[in-house]
Amino acid sequence: MAAPRTASPRRPPAPRWPRLLLSLLLLLLLPAPSEGLGHSAELAFAVEPSDDVAVPGQPVVLGCKVEGTPPVRITWRKNGVELAESTHSTLLANGSLLIHHFRLERGGSPSDEGDYECVAQNRFGLVVSRKARIQAATMSDFHVHPQATVGEEGGVARFQCQIHGLPKPLITWEKNRVPIDTDNERYTLLPKGVLQITGLRAEDSGVFHCVASNIASVRISHGARLTVSGSGSGAYKEPTILVGPENLTLTVHQTAVLECVATGNPRPIVSWSRLDGRPIGVEGIQVLGTGNLIISDVTVQHSGVYVCAANRPGTRVRRTAQGRLVVQAPAEFVQHPQSISRPAGTTAMFTCQAQGEPPPHVTWLKNGQVLGPGGHVRLKNNNSTLTISGIGPEDEAIYQCVAENSAGSSQASARLTVLWAEGLPGPPRNVQAVSVSSTEVRVSWSEPMVNTKEIIGYVLHIRKAADPPELEYQEAVSKSTFQHLVGDLEPSTAYSFYIKAYTPRGASSASMPTLASTLGEAPAPPPLSVRVLGSSSLQLLWEPWPRLAQHEGGFKLFYRPASKASFTGPILLPGTVSSYNLSQLDPRVVYEVKLLAYNQHGDSNATVRFVSLRGASERTALSPPCDCRKEDAANQTSTTGIVIGIHIGVTCIIFCVLFLLFGQRGRVLLCKDVENQLSPPQGPRSQRDPGILALNGVGRGERGQLGRGEKCVDAKELEQLFPPAGVVGPPGSRPTDPTAPVPCEETQLSTLPLQGFGPLDRRATEAKTPCTGPVAALLPLDSGPNLLGKGQVTQLSEAPAAQPAHSGQ
């Protein structure tokens, strides 16, 4: 071990007077704001105050240098309040502030600690510097003292002390009241107050003290004795990490110390890596002692989780520990705002982009006062863009962008010059807005009082009265027009309007704004869908309309069996409701459901739906509740179901093939029948091709055969759903007089086989239209070629389905 150096008596740090006097001398040599600064029409800071730590009773100098057009007046603020002139502080000629004797709050006198700002002003505007925080130097007592420890020869010993101070105390160590020899490679001193001793020897035994010092004071910890015992047994010991890295939060350019102390026999190898797999790098990286990672001049890219690994040599046995490093960066500007000149009445825009970690918050100042959105001022893109519309003389100022985060703040300024041309027209007069309809408002105005000859047009500014100014939009109007119809507005909504006159030299001032509300109207029909919940219940679904509640509106619901004349209802529902359930319905009946929306202006058209519960009731009857008693029975049922499913699948495939074959044959016959029907008759009616009769109608005798052979549709089922008008008797009975006229006010449903309906009998039946009431004929979906188009199953006709249709002869 190298011989320890001779200890010298510990003295407090030298006073700060020489450094302060040198700083004061340099600041006094800086030119005053009025000397040689006339070259800049801007007002900006060349030097801004910075954070500092002061010793009570000693002087403090806060630097400030301003460039701008003289005369420039400089003042200072403390915690946002302007500092008054006093004998305690002096404003130097160059704008810096000298505090003669820094003081803490004592005996009623205020403390000099706080946030200081330099304020500069000339005839163009006012700017404020970044905030500089001045704090008093302090030193606390040790809250962690080193502890006595015992180690074996060749082992590792570690001492630690912790103390708070401002500025951060410098930590050194003494052994037996003598400073540790820092040239000894076995002794590692970490800045955070840790002493590591590796490869212990008998001469390392002694009493160790931690010494902390800064400009405020010096503190010495309690002593901790190190006892080094005899050499170890040499037995194998698993690698162990005694101390792993801690989580650290630092600011850029500081030094990160990630500690890792490992022990074991044989001595483990310590390595470092990043948890995200990125390389640690080599620049500014060093390993201190036997495994401590030191990162000098840290940047944001160094942030991450670092892993310390202790490996047994020659094996894969390892132990790990990890710690997170967070590096913060003070706000700095990527894009500074630029000074601009704009004609009066136009729009001025400043852009300011800052970066930092964490992301900085941006605020704007106008002549030193916080500027928020409102009126004609808009802030967008996280306050990075400042827009001032319709600028006037009152908007001419110096605007500052201030970016701030937990690591620091920065500011940049720019000037807005408003060009006010002579001879601009005055604001338009007598602006009035009158509602024309639910979507239109007519705006009228009169010419300005003065300077109207150069007017080239008007611009009307429009926005909803409840919207912020940034949602305003404009419409241009001819110079010879003094009224404008604004369309595409929302019903029952208040709007704000104002207008400007434009000339080649600029715009006039804005007219007085006026308000108008569009007229109301009845709402549109609501979309409605129906879901069958069971054999006796329905769920009605639609979209909620919150605006209905704002206009004393909602929904009205009606329902009835389709065969009855009167509805049940109305059921009144609020505009925020989007569903309603109908229960205790008759599963044998077709229901008509009607939904409409209403407000104070009236009812909408109704949305009507027809729905039948028969399918749900039949499915319920075909699917009785399962009676699962034993697990074996369940397995047997499952196997049986699989077999049945296979048979059903094969059967479906066979039916599909047959359907395709017969469908192709039906189309060929159909085309042939149409051709024969359109050709002139070649013989008596009795000798005609029966295909014509099949195309244009079916006789009474043939109708029964068709029903038995092809089963186009279940007539009994349809007649039960929709009983024909005038039929008295059990369901399924036919009308006694097929030629009787059908009443116009009733909706009739009848069935036709698809092959028995063609273009000619449509024309024939349309010629026999005795009334305007619709009669619906339901066509089966699966009955071969569809003359009405794919997927169309309902055809309006003028004759009952039971009456055959004949071609004209």
Side-chain angles (χ1 to χ4, degrees):
M1 176 177 178
R5 293 175 292 184
T6 305
S8 57
R10 179 69 57 184
R11 297 184 178 88
R16 302 177 67 207
W17 275 102
R19 180 167 67 89
L20 289 173
L21 290 176
L22 179 60
S23 300
L24 181 59
L25 179 61
L26 292 175
L27 288 170
L28 290 173
L29 292 176
L30 293 174
S34 58
E35 297 177 6
L37 297 177
H39 66 279
S40 176
E42 305 290 336
L43 184 64
F45 290 100
V47 175
E48 295 185 75
S50 56
D51 298 345
D52 200 0
V53 177
V55 178
Q58 294 190 9
V60 179
V61 177
L62 298 172
C64 180
K65 179 184 176 182
V66 181
E67 293 180 346
T69 302
V72 177
R73 178 176 176 265
I74 294 180
T75 56
W76 282 83
R77 296 177 185 172
K78 176 189 173 186
N79 296 331
V81 179
E82 184 173 344
L83 279 175
E85 295 183 2
S86 68
T87 57
H88 179 63
S89 60
T90 301
L91 180 64
L92 303 180
N94 67 343
S96 300
L97 179 67
L98 170 64
I99 300 175
H100 299 284
H101 301 284
F102 186 83
R103 64 192 179 192
L104 296 175
E105 186 174 2
R106 186 179 294 114
S109 60
S111 171
D112 290 326
E113 287 187 303
D115 294 333
Y116 289 80
E117 297 169 299
C118 180
V119 181
Q121 184 175 12
N122 64 5
R123 63 187 179 90
F124 297 115
L126 181 148
V127 291
V128 181
S129 72
R130 66 177 298 273
K131 293 180 180 179
R133 175 159 296 181
I134 306 301
Q135 297 172 284
T138 59
M139 175 77 81
S140 68
D141 293 328
F142 283 95
H143 55 275
V144 173
H145 289 269
Q147 302 295 317
T149 184
V150 178
E152 297 178 349
E153 286 191 5
V156 177
R158 179 180 182 272
F159 295 103
Q160 181 179 11
C161 66
Q162 290 183 3
I163 190 172
H164 291 310
L166 196 67
K168 184 178 180 180
L170 173 65
I171 304 295
T172 59
W173 288 87
E174 294 179 349
K175 176 189 172 185
N176 299 330
R177 295 294 181 177
V178 177
I180 293 294
D181 182 10
T182 55
D183 294 333
N184 192 332
E185 294 182 353
R186 295 189 302 110
Y187 284 70
T188 302
L189 279 70
L190 301 183
K192 64 177 184 177
V194 172
L195 171 62
Q196 298 173 356
I197 307 174
T198 58
L200 287 175
R201 301 174 184 175
E203 58 265 29
D204 294 327
S205 299
V207 178
F208 291 81
H209 291 83
C210 173
V211 180
S213 59
N214 65 6
I215 59 175
S217 181
V218 176
R219 296 279 191 272
I220 301 178
S221 72
H222 299 162
R225 180 172 294 278
L226 170 62
T227 302
V228 180
S229 62
S231 60
S233 63
Y236 168 75
K237 293 182 180 179
E238 288 282 345
T240 303
I241 295 180
L242 299 179
V243 180
E246 298 177 345
N247 295 333
L248 295 177
T249 300
L250 303 175
T251 305
V252 290
H253 308 308
Q254 291 183 330
T255 298
V257 179
L258 300 173
E259 184 181 9
C260 187
V261 179
T263 184
N265 191 16
R267 183 177 178 180
I269 300 173
V270 177
S271 61
W272 286 89
S273 63
R274 287 179 60 119
L275 188 62
D276 57 9
R278 295 170 52 191
I280 295 179
V282 295
E283 186 176 355
I285 306 295
Q286 62 176 329
V287 177
L288 189 62
T290 59
N292 306 290
L293 182 65
I294 309 297
I295 306 177
S296 303
D297 193 22
V298 294
T299 64
V300 175
Q301 286 70 30
H302 287 122
S303 295
V305 177
Y306 289 79
V307 181
C308 165
N311 295 73
R312 178 186 173 189
T315 69
R316 294 187 177 182
V317 179
R318 61 183 298 181
R319 298 291 183 269
T320 61
Q322 63 185 32
R324 181 179 296 275
L325 172 62
V326 177
V327 181
Q328 297 182 340
E332 62 178 358
F333 290 105
V334 178
Q335 180 179 358
H336 291 73
Q338 303 294 322
S339 297
I340 56 176
S341 299
R342 293 290 183 270
T346 59
T347 298
M349 179 182 295
F350 294 101
T351 301
C352 165
Q353 293 185 357
Q355 65 181 8
E357 185 61 38
H361 174 68
V362 175
T363 56
W364 288 87
L365 306 179
K366 175 186 177 183
N367 284 339
Q369 301 298 320
V370 176
L371 185 64
H376 64 307
V377 176
R378 308 175 191 174
L379 294 175
K380 298 185 295 184
N381 303 327
N382 292 328
N383 291 357
S384 63
T385 302
L386 169 65
T387 303
I388 309 171
S389 59
I391 59 175
E394 67 279 2
D395 297 311
E396 191 168 78
I398 294 179
Y399 293 84
Q400 285 181 273
C401 173
V402 180
E404 187 173 11
N405 64 6
S406 57
S409 65
S410 185
Q411 66 82 31
S413 60
R415 176 186 165 204
L416 171 61
T417 302
V418 179
L419 304 176
W420 190 261
E422 295 293 335
L424 289 178
R429 301 173 297 117
N430 303 326
V431 179
Q432 296 180 352
V434 179
S435 297
V436 176
S437 67
S438 59
T439 59
E440 294 177 323
V441 171
R442 187 179 304 278
V443 182
S444 60
W445 62 93
S446 301
E447 269 190 334
M449 291 290 293
V450 295
N451 302 325
T452 61
K453 294 182 179 180
E454 296 185 4
I455 293 178
I456 58 176
Y458 297 90
V459 173
L460 181 62
H461 298 252
I462 310 156
R463 69 176 175 91
K464 292 182 182 178
D467 283 350
E470 54 265 25
L471 297 182
E472 174 188 286
Y473 65 97
Q474 299 88 30
E475 292 186 8
V477 185
S478 169
K479 67 176 182 179
S480 59
T481 302
F482 299 103
Q483 64 177 3
H484 183 66
L485 186 64
V486 182
D488 199 22
L489 304 178
E490 295 184 8
S492 302
T493 305
Y495 285 85
S496 173
F497 305 91
Y498 69 90
I499 193 166
K500 292 182 181 180
Y502 276 78
T503 70
R505 291 184 290 176
S508 71
S509 301
S511 68
M512 292 297 294
T514 184
L515 295 175
S517 296
T518 52
L519 301 177
E521 65 177 1
L528 175 63
S529 60
V530 182
R531 178 190 300 170
V532 178
L533 299 179
S535 59
S536 62
S537 59
L538 298 173
Q539 185 179 38
L540 311 178
L541 302 170
W542 62 91
E543 295 182 0
W545 290 0
R547 284 180 59 89
L548 287 177
Q550 302 174 6
H551 300 285
E552 304 175 3
F555 296 99
K556 294 180 182 180
L557 176 63
F558 303 84
Y559 70 97
R560 68 174 179 180
S563 59
K564 293 187 177 181
S566 60
F567 281 92
T568 300
I571 301 173
L572 299 180
L573 302 172
T576 55
V577 171
S578 60
S579 65
Y580 189 81
N581 292 351
L582 295 177
S583 59
Q584 299 180 355
L585 303 177
D586 187 350
R588 299 167 299 176
V589 176
V590 175
Y591 282 89
E592 179 182 359
V593 181
K594 182 167 64 174
L595 180 71
L596 56 86
Y598 72 93
N599 58 17
Q600 73 269 33
H601 303 290
D603 296 348
S604 71
N605 293 328
T607 303
V608 180
R609 295 288 183 267
F610 290 89
V611 60
S612 172
L613 299 172
R614 175 169 298 177
S617 62
E618 291 177 352
R619 285 193 298 270
T620 303
L622 293 175
S623 303
C626 176
D627 185 13
C628 303
R629 300 180 180 179
K630 301 293 184 179
E631 183 177 357
D632 295 340
N635 294 335
Q636 183 178 1
T637 303
S638 177
T639 305
T640 305
I642 294 175
V643 174
I644 294 174
I646 294 175
H647 284 83
I648 292 175
V650 174
T651 304
C652 290
I653 294 174
I654 294 173
F655 273 108
C656 289
V657 173
L658 295 176
F659 175 79
L660 293 174
L661 293 175
F662 283 105
Q664 180 65 26
R665 179 174 174 271
R667 281 193 292 270
V668 173
L669 294 176
L670 180 63
C671 294
K672 182 178 179 181
D673 292 341
V674 173
E675 180 180 358
N676 292 335
Q677 182 185 19
L678 297 178
S679 61
Q682 302 296 329
R685 179 175 179 178
S686 61
Q687 300 177 0
R688 284 200 195 157
D689 189 343
I692 299 178
L693 296 178
L695 176 65
N696 294 288
V698 180
R700 296 180 183 270
E702 297 168 337
R703 191 163 49 238
Q705 296 177 0
L706 177 63
R708 290 189 300 269
E710 297 185 11
K711 193 180 180 182
C712 296
V713 70
D714 189 348
K716 292 184 178 181
E717 181 177 331
L718 288 174
E719 289 176 359
Q720 290 176 359
L721 274 176
F722 296 92
V727 174
V728 179
S733 61
R734 301 188 181 186
T736 57
D737 186 5
T739 61
V742 179
C744 297
E745 65 274 7
E746 296 293 338
T747 299
Q748 300 299 324
L749 293 169
S750 59
T751 62
L752 285 177
L754 188 61
Q755 290 86 345
F757 191 87
L760 291 183
D761 74 0
R762 276 209 304 192
R763 291 195 300 270
T765 54
E766 288 173 0
K768 301 177 182 180
T769 305
C771 63
T772 59
V775 179
L778 295 183
L779 302 181
L781 285 173
D782 53 350
S783 57
N786 193 341
L787 298 180
L788 303 180
K790 184 176 181 180
Q792 185 174 355
V793 298
T794 302
Q795 172 64 43
L796 294 180
S797 64
E798 309 302 336
Q803 179 179 353
H806 300 282
S807 59
Q809 294 183 0

